Amino acid sequence: SAVISQKPSRDICQRGTSLTIQCQVDSQVTMMFWYRQQPGQSLTLIATANQGSEATYESGFVIDKFPISRPNLTFSTLTVSNLSPEDSSIYLCSARGGGVAGELFFGEGSRLTVL
Amino acid sequence: AQSVSQHNHHVILSEAASLELGCNYSYGGTVNLFWYVQYPGQHLQLLLKYFSGDPLVKGIKGFEAEFIKSKFSFNLRKPSVQWSDTAEYFCAVKASNTGKLIFGQGTTLQVKP
């Protein structure tokens, strides 16, 4: 299994600013993903964080708004830029290990509130 | 594109009642199927998963799910729920060619003591 740590666990930000969320996995993983969980909703995939190259974004999400880095196999960051109240959500980092199981593990999430 | 549909948005049961939560997906290729649970204030946890073999999968805490390929379904069941099963339940599908996990809308289960 993989243990995923996210920082910060929660933050309150002003409109127009940016927040960077860090994700650290305790073992090397093949794939890392970022999800958003808006209040009362399910998880929506934002992007796949690719090691050493640009992230792969899902429809409706763009790099200018959600820049992502993944400098190595155990670490990734998600920045939510130019914040608006609509960005208030829980952002979750997830990682998939190797092997047949390929289970996806999740961090505890970062709860963002934009005022 | 893959999609996942959970039919029940909010389920209220009394303790000891039986549970079945519906999950259907749309994707024509090989899929891996998951049920995750999110207890109040906690992070997502894996309940069970199906990759291949026996379509009846047993998970933690007495949960099981049956993969019916012809119906594109992966319904979650538990014979007798407990108050501690109160949580949000998410069905998820991973297409083998993309590795991306797509979630259903979630079902809120409330178990009354």
Side-chain angles (χ1 to χ4, degrees), chain B residues 21-64:
Chain B
L21 301 182
C23 173
N24 285 89
Y25 66 93
S26 66
Y27 182 71
T30 303
V31 295
N32 305 136
L33 301 159
F34 304 80
W35 275 96
Y36 281 85
V37 61
Q38 189 172 31
Y39 297 103
Q42 297 190 27
H43 65 282
L44 278 167
Q45 301 173 40
L46 182 68
L47 264 183
L48 49 79
K49 61 189 178 188
Y50 172 81
F51 276 72
S52 64
D54 189 344
L56 184 61
V57 180
K58 294 192 184 299
I60 60 171
K61 303 186 181 185
F63 286 92
E64 65 178 33

Side-chain angles (χ1 to χ4, degrees), chain A residues 35 37 42 58 100-101 103-104, chain B residues 36 38 46 51 100-101 104:
Chain A
Y35 285 84
Q37 187 177 21
S42 184
E58 297 299 303
V100 178
E103 178 180 337
L104 207 63
Chain B
Y36 281 85
Q38 189 172 31
L46 182 68
F51 276 72
K100 296 185 296 187
L101 196 64

Side-chain angles (χ1 to χ4, degrees), chain A residues 66-83:
Chain A
F66 298 99
I68 288 170
S69 78
R70 190 179 171 194
N72 56 51
L73 290 174
T74 63
F75 185 78
S76 178
T77 67
L78 167 73
T79 298
V80 189
S81 304
N82 190 25
L83 291 168

